Amino acid sequence: MNLAIRSREQYVGLADKGGVMQGAYFSRSTFLAAANDWEVAAMHAQADELSRAGVSLKVTEGSDIQKSIPCLASNISGLVEVQGEGHAVGYKVVDRFLRASGAKVICEASALKLQPGVKSGRGPTVQTSEGVIEADDVVVAAGLGSNALLPWLNLWPRRGQLIVTERRRSVYKLPGNFIFASYLLEKKKADVGQSVDSGSAARACALVIDPLPYDQYLIGGTREEDDDDQHTEFAAVQRILARAVEYMPFLGEMSVIRVFAGVRAATPDGLPYLGQVKEAPGLWVATGFEGDGICLAPLAGDAMARMMAGKDIPPGVEALAPDSPQRKRRES
Amino acid sequence: MRVTPDILVVGGGPAGVAAACDIAEANLSVILIDQAPKLGGVLFRNFGDNSRRLLPSDLADTWRNLSGRLTAQAARIRTELQTVFIGMDAAGVVALNNRASGKAYTLAPRAIVVATGAIEYVEPLPGWHLPKVMTAGGLQVAVKESGTPPPGDILLAGSGPLLLAAAAQLVKLGRPPVAVIEAANPPRHAFAALALPLSYLREGGSYLTAMARAGVPWLRGARLEEIHKDGGAFSVVVRRRDKLHRYRADIIALHNGLRPNNIGLPRQNLNPQKGPVVIYAGDCNEALGGRAAALSGSSAAHRLLLALGVKPATEPCRAAADIEKYRKFQKLLAEVFKACPSAEYHLPPDETILCRCEQQTVGDLSIFSARSSLSAREVKLNGRFGLGRCQGRFCAEKTRGLLLMTHRDAPTVDALIGQRWPVKPIPIKDLADLDHEES
Ligand SMILES: Cc1cc2nc3c(=O)[nH]c(=O)nc-3n(C[C@H](O)[C@H](O)[C@H](O)COP(=O)(O)OP(=O)(O)OC[C@H]3O[C@@H](n4cnc5c(N)ncnc54)[C@H](O)[C@@H]3O)c2cc1C
Ligand SMILES: Cc1cc2nc3c(=O)[nH]c(=O)nc-3n(C[C@H](O)[C@H](O)[C@H](O)COP(=O)(O)OP(=O)(O)OC[C@H]3O[C@@H](n4cnc5c(N)ncnc54)[C@H](O)[C@@H]3O)c2cc1C
């Protein structure tokens, strides 16, 4: 959590006038919402954790909830506004960083095999579909694809199905991203490396309603143990949307224009991999960000650059070293 | 709970109805859906109304025959109108949405015939997106539905025989168009045209005669370059060789050809082991015109039955050979209507709208393509093309076409759109309340 807060601060810095993230990152609040007792409990647990980390919160209860945000149904019984959060548009973030870096991009080139480097000699070599590349340092940041290059990473797929609505002005405007507390539970389950049930009954019990620029909404999402990102199902989407209209009836009138799936890469202990591989000089890993890779991108990139340059790194990052013996492994 | 029929046929034009009849005649049960309130498709939806006399008699006979077979098979064919095909998901489940009742439901058919017809292609030019600028086919449909053309002077522009058909239709209703602007010069290809069947030539001849009698100019080798608002009307600029012509009109109808309407639809599959069998029929498979559509429906039904291991009622299927004939005619027509070099399409000015849903322009595309690599994903997410409300149905081909002018490796329409649902937008409340039919 502290790393996430730090990363967000970096976004804020980069989004300042003239910064690379201007127009790609916006400050806004996130709302945690709960509709039953166990969701209320999960919401407060999260709020306590945030509060201890120094985040400012605003708790609303009872009928004040609908007074302050009129589009919420009366079954919402708990609401916490997490202030000073932000919205980073994933594809824009990638595009901005890429352009700022000036790096040469070779598209449609698949890394096939890694050859470790030798101590105080040459760095690793990478065999790709477009030829062999030698470098002093190599960072494996291929998401779930990192498994094929370094099988011991043992990354697990967590597919998410998402829904995008048409652009449509409504009398209501959501003041931020709404996370329903069951989502936190579902995500935690993934974080501690527990198996998320891949049976369809368990799909889609986690709900996030995210207002996008231009009056569209992104509604998600499932967490399924599967790596097929072409796989979307009516049944799963129906379950997500049924809950969405239950809590925000005005969404019922909006039309869905797109449904898609993405796959998150989860690690056995729920922490990302970020650091050097000990026995392989010049080999680095940055992956396993599960559902937080956009949020953590500035921190991860900056920390990686610092580690390579031998500079000091933010506290907490050393615990993310990929092959640290303290890290939990999971048998496949 | 209703029981799912064996086969879903999407689209009630000649292709879909022919397929439904052939399949039912082989003793399978069929659900036939169309988003329109009547069967018949583009050509026959208003059959029996005032439009009837506008149809060539052989086409009218085709529809009369299909309607008779449909009635005879009523026990095996369940027809659902005002019902939109939403898509097929990864589990092979199909969702349909009744637009009248707002009810959506899923079913799991063994096979699907997709017969969603064609859509018109319009080349983007400044002003093409304005209200009262429509497609020539859209104008025809509006005329068929209301019986009279919309008020005001009408100008037709683009290319192809459909412009002539629309012009003749307007003449018959006593409202001749201002002019027909045509990029090709068909009389130049009279020799090739002679290889077309007599029925085509007669049809074309009757259109031209009607236009000539009403004094409608057919400006050939010419291109409409700009549409400007001018008071309550439009003023347009037409280039013919090096000369500019100006016209005024209240309504502009554009048309640059037909394309299969298969954007986002499930891919064809003939192997029942890999999920439901999916076959395209009619203009959705290949835009070959009304005469080939019914044949194509029969051919699709035949292949579908074989894939399912069911014996067709009639054997062997002759449709395929006949379709080949129409394919040849279509090629000839394309030759006859090939744009003159001086009227070929070129990059329109930057302010031209390319994607109506997101109001993205030709200029936006060129700025984007100059600085970014052109993967389909980047064109969509960073470029904002092909991901609006229409799901790329109207801009994907335009986007690819313009990108191709400068980039040889521009993503294909298929890479841009792929297979996805919903094929048409569907209200959240309808999806949240999906019914599931038993099979
Ligand atoms: C449904 C869903 C919702 C999400 N919501 C959020 C959110 O709200 N906030 C948030 O912060 N994060 C969210 N995420 C997570 C976020 O998208 C990921 O954590 C992030 O994309 C991870 O970034 P990455 O660079 O590690 O990997 P990726 O984005 O997966 O990128 C890896 C890249 O490596 C390439 N690659 C793979 N193998 C090879 C190879 N062998 N050779 C060459 N290239 C290769 C891939 O093509 C890909 O481009 C969500 C994810 C999903 C699926
Ligand atoms: C504007 C226009 C004018 C034409 N003029 C002529 C002409 O003058 N002479 C000629 O020979 N041919 C003409 N054609 C071609 C002719 O219409 C077609 O060749 C013929 O109708 C094709 O038959 P079909 O069954 O393949 O498709 P269609 O007749 O187009 O039928 C397709 C049906 O599918 C339905 N549909 C589409 N999508 C969905 C969905 N998602 N869910 C549910 N239903 C759906 C539509 O409502 C439609 O009824 C014209 C075509 C167009 C588009």
Side-chain angles (χ1 to χ4, degrees), chain B residues 160-378:
Chain B
L162 192 137
L163 288 177
L164 302 180
Q169 192 182 14
L170 292 173
V171 168
K172 273 195 191 166
L173 294 166
R175 293 276 309 283
V178 178
V180 177
I181 316 296
E182 166 61 58
N185 189 3
R188 272 253 179 98
H189 307 278
F191 189 72
L194 283 178
L196 284 167
L198 205 57
S199 59
Y200 280 51
L201 295 175
R202 216 181 269 144
E203 200 179 324
S206 76
Y207 296 154
L208 289 175
T209 314
M211 282 166 59
R213 283 215 187 108
V216 178
W218 188 26
L219 203 69
R220 300 180 302 274
R223 164 167 298 284
L224 179 62
E225 296 213 314
E226 286 163 41
I227 302 171
H228 298 286
K229 272 212 183 117
D230 185 356
F234 296 114
S235 102
V236 305
V237 179
V238 174
R239 178 185 293 276
R240 188 157 176 257
R241 291 191 207 101
D242 291 328
K243 267 221 187 95
L244 296 183
H245 303 250
R246 279 170 215 280
Y247 292 89
R248 274 181 71 85
D250 301 291
I251 289 168
I252 317 266
L254 303 173
H255 177 89
N256 296 94
L258 296 173
R259 301 284 189 272
N261 177 20
N262 57 14
I263 299 258
L265 295 171
R267 300 226 160 83
Q268 303 204 63
N269 166 38
L270 279 173
N271 180 355
Q273 251 79 55
K274 289 191 181 156
V277 167
V278 178
I279 298 185
Y280 293 0
D283 274 10
C284 156
N285 183 48
E286 194 179 359
L288 294 182
R291 290 179 177 85
L295 294 167
S296 170
S298 287
S299 161
H302 197 263
R303 277 174 294 143
L304 178 144
L305 293 169
L306 292 181
L308 295 180
V310 176
K311 201 176 140 44
T314 53
E315 187 92 74
C317 180
R318 280 191 17 252
D322 289 339
I323 293 170
E324 186 51 45
K325 193 173 74 189
Y326 289 107
R327 190 171 292 134
K328 226 175 68 197
F329 297 158
Q330 207 58 41
K331 259 201 200 125
L332 277 172
L333 268 180
E335 235 171 86
V336 171
F337 281 93
K338 189 170 153 25
C340 298
S342 62
E344 265 171 19
Y345 188 61
H346 50 80
L347 195 69
D350 279 355
E351 66 276 14
T352 311
I353 293 282
L354 192 47
C355 156
R356 251 192 307 205
C357 306
E358 302 270 316
Q359 294 287 308
Q360 289 281 86
T361 64
V362 170
D364 294 331
L365 185 70
S366 66
I367 292 172
F368 163 76
S369 64
R371 70 145 173 79
S372 204
S373 69
L374 291 183
S375 69
R377 203 183 151 77
E378 281 163 296

Side-chain angles (χ1 to χ4, degrees), chain A residues 91-92 95 99 107 165-167 216 219 230-235 237-238 241-242 245 251-259, chain B residues 86-87 89-90 93-95 358 371 373 381-382 384 387-389 391 420-422 425-429 431-434 436:
Chain A
Y91 56 84
K92 278 196 189 169
D95 187 52
R99 279 198 279 152
C107 280
T165 70
E166 65 184 329
R167 286 179 172 197
Q216 287 181 298
I219 305 173
Q230 296 299 306
H231 189 115
T232 54
E233 274 180 46
F234 291 114
V237 165
Q238 173 176 22
L241 293 180
V245 283
L251 289 175
E253 298 304 319
M254 303 237 166
S255 283
V256 174
I257 61 167
R258 194 158 53 244
V259 170
Chain B
I86 293 303
D89 75 7
V93 172
V94 161
E358 302 270 316
R371 70 145 173 79
S373 69
L381 288 175
N382 291 319
R384 311 306 288 171
L387 85 177
R389 192 184 154 87
Q391 288 289 278
R420 52 176 57 242
W421 60 273
I426 172 171
I428 285 184
K429 62 175 164 24
L431 260 186
D433 201 24
L434 266 182
H436 302 277

Side-chain angles (χ1 to χ4, degrees), chain B residues 11 13-15 34-35 41-42 45 83 85 115-117 137 140 162 282-283 289-290 293:
Chain B
D34 200 298
Q35 62 195 13
V42 178
R45 197 170 293 140
T83 297
F85 176 71
T116 48
Q140 281 188 308
L162 192 137
D283 274 10

